[in-house]
Amino acid sequence: MKYNCELIRDLLLLCQDNVASTASQTAVNEHLLECAECRSFKKNMKIVNLQQNTSKMKDAETISHTKVAKRIRKRKPLIIVCLALVTILVTYFSYSYATGKRFDAYNCSQNSRWVDEESILLGDVDMAPFHIYLYENEEKYRTIATKYSFPFWELGSSSWANKTDDLVKLVGWYSVRDDGQGITVVPIECFDENVEYIEMGANDSRLRKEIKGGEVIIFSWAKSLRWNDLDGIAYSKEGEPLYKLGYDVKNATIKTDELRWLPVLK
């Protein structure tokens, strides 16, 4: 043979690491064609290298798993806290939803026991933190109050007004003072063509609204007012009083649902 086996085997190591010259690689290939022992040596080299690489991979995988396990152990308290918070939040939101609280005021008002599929929404008033909804039911007009309390809207109190055949009538009524915050809402529907406008409220907060037949006109104040503070009067185009808000009862006991627009006697 042209080359010594020991020399070729040394060159095999260089070839394996891809650092042998082209001439050395050619010499190794020519020798391997002639020498069975060197071919066997090369084969054994591949097996040993494969075993070494496999062992290194297993060691690296073991080290990686160990690092992951250590990170999990370090973060375990944080994971437990996060899971506890998630559980608390899910319980809180589920309970709030079950008790009628909602993320928007309208859906909250729909959860009132006075609102059903037959209820008709006549209008609404947004006066933060309140949002008032006016509904017409089969027998009465219902005024439903909702109030924002982060992060939900929740139902407040409600009131009603009786249905009448009056040409000028209340289609709701709401006045409340809650945690230092007050609100008064008085919705009116007018079918008397002679009524041009309505004035209502105390001197420093008296409002005037033009009347359009059949439309719901809403008076609102960011304070609680008693009915006798409203001093509601409906006027003709000429400024003549036609109706006045009050009670048509003679006994000492009066009820809110008896409040009506009474014709002014001439």
Side-chain angles (χ1 to χ4, degrees), residues 114-122 135-142 161-164 169:
W114 304 115
V115 178
D116 54 34
E117 294 180 354
E118 304 300 324
S119 299
I120 300 172
L121 180 63
L122 299 178
Y135 288 96
E136 179 181 357
N137 290 346
E138 184 177 354
E139 297 180 353
K140 295 179 181 293
Y141 297 103
R142 293 285 180 179
N162 291 321
K163 285 190 170 183
T164 69
K169 56 186 176 181

PDB file of all heavy atoms in Angstrom, residues 114-122 135-142 161-164 169:
ATOM      1  N   TRP A 114     -89.668  45.141  36.893  1.00  0.00           N
ATOM      2  CA  TRP A 114     -90.776  45.882  36.305  1.00  0.00           C
ATOM      3  C   TRP A 114     -90.676  45.955  34.782  1.00  0.00           C
ATOM      4  O   TRP A 114     -91.541  46.533  34.131  1.00  0.00           O
ATOM      5  CB  TRP A 114     -90.827  47.298  36.870  1.00  0.00           C
ATOM      6  CG  TRP A 114     -90.926  47.348  38.360  1.00  0.00           C
ATOM      7  CD1 TRP A 114     -90.006  47.842  39.229  1.00  0.00           C
ATOM      8  CD2 TRP A 114     -92.009  46.867  39.158  1.00  0.00           C
ATOM      9  NE1 TRP A 114     -90.427  47.709  40.521  1.00  0.00           N
ATOM     10  CE2 TRP A 114     -91.668  47.104  40.509  1.00  0.00           C
ATOM     11  CE3 TRP A 114     -93.231  46.256  38.879  1.00  0.00           C
ATOM     12  CZ2 TRP A 114     -92.501  46.757  41.561  1.00  0.00           C
ATOM     13  CZ3 TRP A 114     -94.059  45.909  39.930  1.00  0.00           C
ATOM     14  CH2 TRP A 114     -93.701  46.159  41.248  1.00  0.00           C
ATOM     15  N   VAL A 115     -89.617  45.391  34.233  1.00  0.00           N
ATOM     16  CA  VAL A 115     -89.421  45.430  32.783  1.00  0.00           C
ATOM     17  C   VAL A 115     -89.571  44.024  32.224  1.00  0.00           C
ATOM     18  O   VAL A 115     -88.945  43.082  32.714  1.00  0.00           O
ATOM     19  CB  VAL A 115     -88.026  45.993  32.429  1.00  0.00           C
ATOM     20  CG1 VAL A 115     -87.813  45.983  30.920  1.00  0.00           C
ATOM     21  CG2 VAL A 115     -87.868  47.404  32.981  1.00  0.00           C
ATOM     22  N   ASP A 116     -90.416  43.884  31.210  1.00  0.00           N
ATOM     23  CA  ASP A 116     -90.598  42.583  30.570  1.00  0.00           C
ATOM     24  C   ASP A 116     -90.561  42.761  29.056  1.00  0.00           C
ATOM     25  O   ASP A 116     -90.249  43.844  28.548  1.00  0.00           O
ATOM     26  CB  ASP A 116     -91.908  41.923  31.017  1.00  0.00           C
ATOM     27  CG  ASP A 116     -93.123  42.825  30.798  1.00  0.00           C
ATOM     28  OD1 ASP A 116     -93.124  43.587  29.798  1.00  0.00           O
ATOM     29  OD2 ASP A 116     -94.065  42.785  31.609  1.00  0.00           O
ATOM     30  N   GLU A 117     -90.890  41.702  28.335  1.00  0.00           N
ATOM     31  CA  GLU A 117     -90.815  41.741  26.876  1.00  0.00           C
ATOM     32  C   GLU A 117     -91.807  42.725  26.270  1.00  0.00           C
ATOM     33  O   GLU A 117     -91.608  43.208  25.145  1.00  0.00           O
ATOM     34  CB  GLU A 117     -91.060  40.334  26.312  1.00  0.00           C
ATOM     35  CG  GLU A 117     -89.966  39.332  26.673  1.00  0.00           C
ATOM     36  CD  GLU A 117     -90.240  37.961  26.089  1.00  0.00           C
ATOM     37  OE1 GLU A 117     -91.328  37.783  25.502  1.00  0.00           O
ATOM     38  OE2 GLU A 117     -89.367  37.081  26.216  1.00  0.00           O
ATOM     39  N   GLU A 118     -92.877  43.021  26.997  1.00  0.00           N
ATOM     40  CA  GLU A 118     -93.898  43.931  26.482  1.00  0.00           C
ATOM     41  C   GLU A 118     -93.592  45.393  26.809  1.00  0.00           C
ATOM     42  O   GLU A 118     -94.277  46.295  26.316  1.00  0.00           O
ATOM     43  CB  GLU A 118     -95.271  43.554  27.068  1.00  0.00           C
ATOM     44  CG  GLU A 118     -95.693  42.110  26.806  1.00  0.00           C
ATOM     45  CD  GLU A 118     -95.797  41.807  25.321  1.00  0.00           C
ATOM     46  OE1 GLU A 118     -96.226  42.712  24.570  1.00  0.00           O
ATOM     47  OE2 GLU A 118     -95.453  40.689  24.917  1.00  0.00           O
ATOM     48  N   SER A 119     -92.600  45.641  27.641  1.00  0.00           N
ATOM     49  CA  SER A 119     -92.274  47.018  28.039  1.00  0.00           C
ATOM     50  C   SER A 119     -91.718  47.803  26.850  1.00  0.00           C
ATOM     51  O   SER A 119     -90.929  47.283  26.060  1.00  0.00           O
ATOM     52  CB  SER A 119     -91.259  47.015  29.180  1.00  0.00           C
ATOM     53  OG  SER A 119     -91.773  46.347  30.316  1.00  0.00           O
ATOM     54  N   ILE A 120     -92.136  49.058  26.758  1.00  0.00           N
ATOM     55  CA  ILE A 120     -91.686  49.942  25.675  1.00  0.00           C
ATOM     56  C   ILE A 120     -90.801  51.032  26.263  1.00  0.00           C
ATOM     57  O   ILE A 120     -91.190  51.714  27.211  1.00  0.00           O
ATOM     58  CB  ILE A 120     -92.890  50.584  24.957  1.00  0.00           C
ATOM     59  CG1 ILE A 120     -93.792  49.496  24.362  1.00  0.00           C
ATOM     60  CG2 ILE A 120     -92.418  51.533  23.864  1.00  0.00           C
ATOM     61  CD1 ILE A 120     -95.094  50.038  23.798  1.00  0.00           C
ATOM     62  N   LEU A 121     -89.618  51.192  25.712  1.00  0.00           N
ATOM     63  CA  LEU A 121     -88.704  52.235  26.173  1.00  0.00           C
ATOM     64  C   LEU A 121     -89.116  53.570  25.560  1.00  0.00           C
ATOM     65  O   LEU A 121     -89.106  53.745  24.343  1.00  0.00           O
ATOM     66  CB  LEU A 121     -87.263  51.892  25.782  1.00  0.00           C
ATOM     67  CG  LEU A 121     -86.193  52.901  26.215  1.00  0.00           C
ATOM     68  CD1 LEU A 121     -86.121  52.986  27.734  1.00  0.00           C
ATOM     69  CD2 LEU A 121     -84.834  52.517  25.632  1.00  0.00           C
ATOM     70  N   LEU A 122     -89.488  54.524  26.421  1.00  0.00           N
ATOM     71  CA  LEU A 122     -89.934  55.837  25.955  1.00  0.00           C
ATOM     72  C   LEU A 122     -88.788  56.839  25.850  1.00  0.00           C
ATOM     73  O   LEU A 122     -88.861  57.792  25.076  1.00  0.00           O
ATOM     74  CB  LEU A 122     -91.003  56.387  26.909  1.00  0.00           C
ATOM     75  CG  LEU A 122     -92.280  55.555  27.057  1.00  0.00           C
ATOM     76  CD1 LEU A 122     -93.209  56.208  28.067  1.00  0.00           C
ATOM     77  CD2 LEU A 122     -92.976  55.389  25.716  1.00  0.00           C
ATOM     78  N   TYR A 135     -89.976  53.530  30.935  1.00  0.00           N
ATOM     79  CA  TYR A 135     -90.660  52.430  30.258  1.00  0.00           C
ATOM     80  C   TYR A 135     -92.171  52.586  30.380  1.00  0.00           C
ATOM     81  O   TYR A 135     -92.682  53.086  31.390  1.00  0.00           O
ATOM     82  CB  TYR A 135     -90.264  51.083  30.868  1.00  0.00           C
ATOM     83  CG  TYR A 135     -88.859  50.635  30.543  1.00  0.00           C
ATOM     84  CD1 TYR A 135     -87.808  50.879  31.426  1.00  0.00           C
ATOM     85  CD2 TYR A 135     -88.585  49.955  29.359  1.00  0.00           C
ATOM     86  CE1 TYR A 135     -86.519  50.458  31.137  1.00  0.00           C
ATOM     87  CE2 TYR A 135     -87.299  49.525  29.062  1.00  0.00           C
ATOM     88  CZ  TYR A 135     -86.269  49.780  29.953  1.00  0.00           C
ATOM     89  OH  TYR A 135     -84.997  49.358  29.662  1.00  0.00           O
ATOM     90  N   GLU A 136     -92.862  52.122  29.354  1.00  0.00           N
ATOM     91  CA  GLU A 136     -94.321  52.035  29.405  1.00  0.00           C
ATOM     92  C   GLU A 136     -94.712  50.569  29.481  1.00  0.00           C
ATOM     93  O   GLU A 136     -94.373  49.775  28.593  1.00  0.00           O
ATOM     94  CB  GLU A 136     -94.948  52.674  28.163  1.00  0.00           C
ATOM     95  CG  GLU A 136     -96.468  52.592  28.172  1.00  0.00           C
ATOM     96  CD  GLU A 136     -97.103  53.193  26.929  1.00  0.00           C
ATOM     97  OE1 GLU A 136     -96.355  53.731  26.083  1.00  0.00           O
ATOM     98  OE2 GLU A 136     -98.345  53.110  26.800  1.00  0.00           O
ATOM     99  N   ASN A 137     -95.409  50.214  30.546  1.00  0.00           N
ATOM    100  CA  ASN A 137     -95.934  48.864  30.697  1.00  0.00           C
ATOM    101  C   ASN A 137     -97.422  48.859  30.375  1.00  0.00           C
ATOM    102  O   ASN A 137     -98.009  49.894  30.052  1.00  0.00           O
ATOM    103  CB  ASN A 137     -95.691  48.346  32.115  1.00  0.00           C
ATOM    104  CG  ASN A 137     -94.222  48.079  32.373  1.00  0.00           C
ATOM    105  OD1 ASN A 137     -93.428  48.022  31.442  1.00  0.00           O
ATOM    106  ND2 ASN A 137     -93.850  47.936  33.628  1.00  0.00           N
ATOM    107  N   GLU A 138     -98.026  47.714  30.492  1.00  0.00           N
ATOM    108  CA  GLU A 138     -99.441  47.589  30.143  1.00  0.00           C
ATOM    109  C   GLU A 138    -100.322  48.443  31.045  1.00  0.00           C
ATOM    110  O   GLU A 138    -101.290  49.055  30.596  1.00  0.00           O
ATOM    111  CB  GLU A 138     -99.870  46.124  30.234  1.00  0.00           C
ATOM    112  CG  GLU A 138    -101.304  45.889  29.789  1.00  0.00           C
ATOM    113  CD  GLU A 138    -101.679  44.423  29.814  1.00  0.00           C
ATOM    114  OE1 GLU A 138    -100.786  43.588  30.070  1.00  0.00           O
ATOM    115  OE2 GLU A 138    -102.861  44.125  29.591  1.00  0.00           O
ATOM    116  N   GLU A 139     -99.966  48.529  32.331  1.00  0.00           N
ATOM    117  CA  GLU A 139    -100.822  49.228  33.285  1.00  0.00           C
ATOM    118  C   GLU A 139    -100.254  50.558  33.767  1.00  0.00           C
ATOM    119  O   GLU A 139    -101.004  51.456  34.128  1.00  0.00           O
ATOM    120  CB  GLU A 139    -101.084  48.326  34.498  1.00  0.00           C
ATOM    121  CG  GLU A 139    -101.833  47.045  34.147  1.00  0.00           C
ATOM    122  CD  GLU A 139    -102.060  46.182  35.369  1.00  0.00           C
ATOM    123  OE1 GLU A 139    -101.521  46.535  36.442  1.00  0.00           O
ATOM    124  OE2 GLU A 139    -102.769  45.173  35.260  1.00  0.00           O
ATOM    125  N   LYS A 140     -98.921  50.686  33.804  1.00  0.00           N
ATOM    126  CA  LYS A 140     -98.309  51.885  34.375  1.00  0.00           C
ATOM    127  C   LYS A 140     -97.090  52.314  33.566  1.00  0.00           C
ATOM    128  O   LYS A 140     -96.583  51.570  32.723  1.00  0.00           O
ATOM    129  CB  LYS A 140     -97.875  51.629  35.831  1.00  0.00           C
ATOM    130  CG  LYS A 140     -99.012  51.350  36.807  1.00  0.00           C
ATOM    131  CD  LYS A 140     -98.465  51.088  38.208  1.00  0.00           C
ATOM    132  CE  LYS A 140     -99.578  50.772  39.193  1.00  0.00           C
ATOM    133  NZ  LYS A 140    -100.452  51.929  39.439  1.00  0.00           N
ATOM    134  N   TYR A 141     -96.639  53.524  33.864  1.00  0.00           N
ATOM    135  CA  TYR A 141     -95.350  53.995  33.369  1.00  0.00           C
ATOM    136  C   TYR A 141     -94.322  53.740  34.472  1.00  0.00           C
ATOM    137  O   TYR A 141     -94.561  54.059  35.641  1.00  0.00           O
ATOM    138  CB  TYR A 141     -95.393  55.489  33.048  1.00  0.00           C
ATOM    139  CG  TYR A 141     -96.360  55.853  31.946  1.00  0.00           C
ATOM    140  CD1 TYR A 141     -97.589  56.433  32.243  1.00  0.00           C
ATOM    141  CD2 TYR A 141     -96.037  55.620  30.614  1.00  0.00           C
ATOM    142  CE1 TYR A 141     -98.477  56.775  31.238  1.00  0.00           C
ATOM    143  CE2 TYR A 141     -96.924  55.960  29.595  1.00  0.00           C
ATOM    144  CZ  TYR A 141     -98.144  56.535  29.915  1.00  0.00           C
ATOM    145  OH  TYR A 141     -99.024  56.866  28.914  1.00  0.00           O
ATOM    146  N   ARG A 142     -93.187  53.168  34.100  1.00  0.00           N
ATOM    147  CA  ARG A 142     -92.156  52.843  35.085  1.00  0.00           C
ATOM    148  C   ARG A 142     -90.886  53.645  34.810  1.00  0.00           C
ATOM    149  O   ARG A 142     -90.424  53.735  33.670  1.00  0.00           O
ATOM    150  CB  ARG A 142     -91.816  51.355  35.025  1.00  0.00           C
ATOM    151  CG  ARG A 142     -92.950  50.441  35.475  1.00  0.00           C
ATOM    152  CD  ARG A 142     -93.098  50.451  36.975  1.00  0.00           C
ATOM    153  NE  ARG A 142     -94.191  49.572  37.409  1.00  0.00           N
ATOM    154  CZ  ARG A 142     -94.531  49.385  38.671  1.00  0.00           C
ATOM    155  NH1 ARG A 142     -93.868  50.015  39.623  1.00  0.00           N
ATOM    156  NH2 ARG A 142     -95.520  48.578  38.981  1.00  0.00           N
ATOM    157  N   ALA A 161     -95.926  55.914  37.379  1.00  0.00           N
ATOM    158  CA  ALA A 161     -96.991  56.898  37.174  1.00  0.00           C
ATOM    159  C   ALA A 161     -98.167  56.163  36.551  1.00  0.00           C
ATOM    160  O   ALA A 161     -97.992  55.292  35.694  1.00  0.00           O
ATOM    161  CB  ALA A 161     -96.516  58.030  36.267  1.00  0.00           C
ATOM    162  N   ASN A 162     -99.358  56.512  37.000  1.00  0.00           N
ATOM    163  CA  ASN A 162    -100.557  55.858  36.479  1.00  0.00           C
ATOM    164  C   ASN A 162    -100.854  56.307  35.055  1.00  0.00           C
ATOM    165  O   ASN A 162    -100.571  57.447  34.666  1.00  0.00           O
ATOM    166  CB  ASN A 162    -101.761  56.179  37.364  1.00  0.00           C
ATOM    167  CG  ASN A 162    -101.654  55.509  38.725  1.00  0.00           C
ATOM    168  OD1 ASN A 162    -101.201  54.370  38.828  1.00  0.00           O
ATOM    169  ND2 ASN A 162    -102.064  56.216  39.766  1.00  0.00           N
ATOM    170  N   LYS A 163    -101.443  55.420  34.296  1.00  0.00           N
ATOM    171  CA  LYS A 163    -101.894  55.778  32.959  1.00  0.00           C
ATOM    172  C   LYS A 163    -103.248  56.486  33.064  1.00  0.00           C
ATOM    173  O   LYS A 163    -104.127  56.058  33.806  1.00  0.00           O
ATOM    174  CB  LYS A 163    -102.022  54.534  32.082  1.00  0.00           C
ATOM    175  CG  LYS A 163    -100.687  53.979  31.614  1.00  0.00           C
ATOM    176  CD  LYS A 163    -100.878  52.910  30.551  1.00  0.00           C
ATOM    177  CE  LYS A 163     -99.562  52.542  29.918  1.00  0.00           C
ATOM    178  NZ  LYS A 163     -99.720  51.545  28.832  1.00  0.00           N
ATOM    179  N   THR A 164    -103.377  57.581  32.333  1.00  0.00           N
ATOM    180  CA  THR A 164    -104.633  58.349  32.335  1.00  0.00           C
ATOM    181  C   THR A 164    -104.984  58.744  30.908  1.00  0.00           C
ATOM    182  O   THR A 164    -104.183  58.559  29.978  1.00  0.00           O
ATOM    183  CB  THR A 164    -104.491  59.620  33.196  1.00  0.00           C
ATOM    184  OG1 THR A 164    -103.589  60.518  32.530  1.00  0.00           O
ATOM    185  CG2 THR A 164    -103.961  59.299  34.585  1.00  0.00           C
ATOM    186  N   LYS A 169     -99.866  64.680  30.391  1.00  0.00           N
ATOM    187  CA  LYS A 169     -99.727  63.693  31.464  1.00  0.00           C
ATOM    188  C   LYS A 169     -98.271  63.361  31.744  1.00  0.00           C
ATOM    189  O   LYS A 169     -97.398  63.480  30.878  1.00  0.00           O
ATOM    190  CB  LYS A 169    -100.482  62.421  31.114  1.00  0.00           C
ATOM    191  CG  LYS A 169    -100.074  61.781  29.796  1.00  0.00           C
ATOM    192  CD  LYS A 169    -100.984  60.601  29.488  1.00  0.00           C
ATOM    193  CE  LYS A 169    -100.676  60.001  28.121  1.00  0.00           C
ATOM    194  NZ  LYS A 169    -101.574  58.862  27.821  1.00  0.00           N
TER     195      LYS A 169
END
